Amino acid sequence: MVREQKDLLARQAAELETMKARLDAIEANAVEQAANRQQLALPSSVVTAQAQVPTKAPSAMQGLPAESGLVPFAPQLVPPGPADASIAMARALAAANPAGVTTKWGAGAPIFRSADGSFSFKPRGRIIEDVSSTVGSRYDGRNITTTGARALRLGIEGAVGTHFIYQFEMDFSENTADVVTAYVGWRNHLFDKLDYDIRLGHLVNDRSFEGITGSDSTPFHDRNVVANAIVPQRGYYGLGGQVRIFGPTWHFSTQLTGDRIDGDQRVADGRTVIVRGHWNPVKNDGNIVHVGAWMFDEHLSSAQRNLTRGTVIGGRFNGALRVQTGTLDGGTGTTGYGAELGGYAGPLWIMGETGHRTARRLDAPSFQTRASSLSGGYFLTGELPPYNPRTGQFDQPDVKRPVFDGGTGAIELTARYETLRFSNIPTPGEGVGNDPGRELVSELLHSGHVQRDALEHRQPGRRLHRPRRRRDLRHAHLRQLLMAVFQHVLPTSQHSIERDDS
């Protein structure tokens, strides 16, 4: 009995093994048939693509660094953010961004992208804190040390698809919340090698080489007097629209804006039209020549008739070192224009700017402002100047040996000479500045004569009425020149300057 049961169990086990082998064969055949049906349903081009192992990225991505996904507009620059990228970059990223890679690091902050590359988002921030000290003046009120923040920024930027872009940023540097950049935009190709973008919102002026350069990218602590003085009365920003066109060696922009965001809708806004263009007649890997021009015309709102100006000449954080106009009321509008010429050869760069501004007044002569600046620099560590050929401005440099990697960082020697003159006002003034690594401020000229001793010993706001003959005026200007040459002026050691306006 026991032997019969043992044989029965052995036969049953053998039958089970046979059945299992048959089932495995049937399942394998079914999987193979399903795969064949799916393969037959695909287009031949897809089947061929699946059979090939890609050895390099698509042609649209040639030249894009795998680390950041964005290529800078010049080798010496950091890659742009999502809102500043060209349409070609946006399309390449959307076509080639691999699934699963959604966060990359670029230009000092993370850039988040959807797996298909259609959506991108980047947080923005900037902290620039300052200490300013003035010494050497016989007027004790100028020998001060102050602290402040030039920029405390927080914002976002991004893109939806390859065309739609946006950016929003606020500044808290004066312990108040101030909207700076806030726009939405659209970018696309116009023709072959010709791009454009349209932006609507709170926009910075495209005006002057240093005026359009951001506060974290200017070669000096402060922008020059052309950027700070030849400016619409409403300031660096206005709410409106802008169109920019980009060619291989040039760009042109035009914008129509109202006042800054102010929350006052009781009266009509002013109106400001600005145009600017730049051209690079010479452009190669190590050399560039920059030629630029711009102009603006502003009609003031009836609620803004004050033309009073106080332009920094010795640093933003020393209010005693400014070229002042005194109170000027009755303004109706302003018109300004300027020109730019410069370039770089290797690590050496030079840039000259000049501008003129006319402020129209009711029942009074137009207030005139003339400003000029000549600046230059040399990178001791070998970097190319951070010139952006797409927009004709300075940008953030790509440092060869970063400090965080144990290097020296980028070290640059800079120098600047600038002049500023106010005329057709009750107290005309002039300022001259030299900046060989530190600010050197010359005399303010009031009522046509040198005002050194008078300014340093009189009460602020009072005019000097001592008459001068023409010979005295020539001697006064000669003394002014000699004082600038021998630096018998008011030296200031600065670690920063103005309020961040772009």
Side-chain angles (χ1 to χ4, degrees):
M1 179 66 67
V2 174
R3 180 176 297 177
E4 292 178 357
Q5 291 179 350
K6 183 177 179 181
D7 294 340
L8 179 60
L9 291 174
R11 288 195 299 271
Q12 290 177 346
E15 291 175 356
L16 290 174
E17 288 293 337
T18 302
M19 293 176 63
K20 182 176 182 301
R22 291 178 179 176
L23 288 174
D24 290 342
I26 293 173
E27 290 178 355
N29 186 43
V31 170
E32 183 178 357
Q33 291 178 358
N36 290 335
R37 286 194 300 270
Q38 183 177 5
Q39 189 76 8
L40 291 173
L42 291 175
S44 59
S45 60
V46 178
V47 175
T48 303
Q50 289 181 347
Q52 295 176 350
V53 178
T55 58
K56 61 180 181 178
S59 60
M61 286 291 291
Q62 294 301 316
L64 293 181
E67 294 81 6
S68 66
L70 291 168
V71 60
F73 292 114
Q76 67 270 27
L77 301 178
V78 297
D84 293 323
S86 67
I87 183 66
M89 294 183 198
R91 288 176 173 172
L93 290 170
N97 188 34
V101 182
T102 57
T103 305
K104 296 180 180 180
W105 193 269
I111 300 176
F112 303 94
R113 292 194 185 92
S114 60
D116 60 1
S118 298
F119 299 89
S120 60
F121 173 85
K122 176 186 175 183
R124 296 172 60 93
R126 188 180 304 172
I127 300 176
I128 306 178
E129 297 178 338
D130 310 274
V131 177
S132 172
S133 182
T134 303
V135 296
S137 174
R138 291 178 294 175
Y139 177 55
D140 291 338
R142 290 179 173 174
N143 295 321
I144 60 176
T145 298
T146 60
T147 59
R150 185 165 23 127
L152 296 175
R153 294 282 191 97
L154 187 63
I156 60 173
E157 68 172 295
V160 179
T162 58
H163 299 287
F164 184 81
I165 56 177
Y166 62 90
Q167 183 174 324
F168 173 78
E169 199 164 14
M170 295 194 69
D171 185 78
F172 305 89
S173 61
E174 294 185 354
N175 210 25
T176 58
D178 185 26
V179 177
V180 282
T181 301
Y183 69 81
V184 295
W186 185 267
R187 62 189 174 195
N188 205 349
H189 281 303
L190 193 60
F191 301 110
D192 185 33
K193 297 183 179 180
L194 202 64
D195 297 346
Y196 75 91
D197 66 29
I198 301 173
R199 301 183 177 194
L200 301 174
H202 203 232
L203 305 167
V204 65
N205 303 335
D206 191 357
R207 171 199 54 83
S208 159
F209 182 84
E210 288 198 16
I212 190 60
T213 297
S215 64
D216 59 347
S217 304
T218 53
F220 299 87
H221 296 138
D222 192 11
R223 294 183 177 91
N224 60 33
V225 292
V226 178
N228 286 332
I230 314 301
V231 62
Q233 192 66 26
R234 63 155 171 73
Y236 276 75
Y237 288 88
L239 187 62
Q242 180 186 56
V243 178
R244 303 189 302 174
I245 302 175
F246 305 97
T249 60
W250 58 273
H251 103 285
F252 175 82
S253 74
T254 180
Q255 63 188 88
L256 173 63
T257 61
D259 295 338
R260 291 183 62 120
I261 294 177
D262 54 12
D264 185 1
Q265 285 80 40
R266 295 172 297 176
V267 297
D269 277 9
R271 181 268 305 148
T272 304
V273 178
I274 304 176
V275 296
R276 177 177 180 256
H278 97 278
W279 174 48
N280 299 130
V282 176
K283 179 184 176 184
N284 53 53
D285 291 341
N287 305 275
I288 271 185
V289 174
H290 169 96
V291 180
W294 49 272
M295 67 87 61
F296 66 84
D297 183 76
E298 176 186 33
H299 175 76
L300 293 176
S301 166
S302 59
Q304 172 56 273
R305 298 296 191 187
N306 193 309
L307 295 173
T308 301
R309 303 290 297 174
T311 304
V312 295
I313 194 72
R316 172 188 170 188
F317 293 102
N318 191 335
L321 292 174
R322 293 174 180 264
V323 181
Q324 304 279 3
T325 64
T327 302
L328 294 177
D329 293 321
T332 62
T334 66
T335 300
Y337 54 87
E340 313 156 11
L341 178 63
Y344 69 82
L348 175 68
W349 65 270
I350 188 170
M351 183 62 63
E353 292 194 74
T354 186
H356 179 268
R357 178 180 185 261
T358 298
R360 299 177 291 277
R361 302 174 64 196
L362 292 170
D363 303 323
S366 296
F367 162 38
Q368 305 291 330
T369 303
R370 292 176 176 83
S372 299
S373 172
L374 180 64
S375 56
Y378 183 84
F379 279 88
L380 300 178
T381 46
E383 283 83 2
L384 290 176
Y387 177 83
N388 188 336
R390 181 174 171 85
T391 54
Q393 67 184 76
F394 275 142
D395 219 325
Q396 297 182 23
D398 183 21
V399 180
K400 288 185 174 181
R401 292 175 289 277
V403 174
F404 293 129
D405 294 339
T408 59
I411 301 176
E412 181 186 17
L413 294 180
T414 60
R416 180 166 70 189
Y417 178 84
E418 55 188 352
T419 64
L420 173 64
R421 178 179 296 178
F422 294 154
S423 60
N424 281 2
I425 55 176
T427 56
E430 181 177 345
V432 180
N434 305 271
D435 192 347
R438 63 173 183 168
E439 294 282 336
L440 297 175
V441 182
S442 77
E443 308 312 311
L444 306 180
L445 303 182
H446 281 258
S447 302
H449 58 78
V450 175
Q451 186 223 357
R452 181 183 183 90
D453 294 333
L455 181 66
E456 294 193 348
H457 294 291
R458 69 179 176 87
Q459 294 295 325
R462 293 182 58 189
R463 291 184 58 193
L464 199 66
H465 295 284
R466 182 172 52 175
R468 290 291 183 104
R469 298 190 302 273
R470 180 171 297 181
R471 184 180 63 182
D472 295 329
L473 293 178
R474 289 198 299 268
H475 291 170
H477 286 285
L478 179 59
R479 289 196 300 271
Q480 166 70 16
L481 177 61
L482 291 175
M483 285 186 292
V485 172
F486 291 104
Q487 299 182 0
H488 290 165
V489 290
L490 308 176
T492 64
S493 177
Q494 304 274 43
H495 293 286
S496 79
I497 316 288
E498 72 167 296
R499 168 138 193 192
D500 181 25
D501 279 317
S502 69

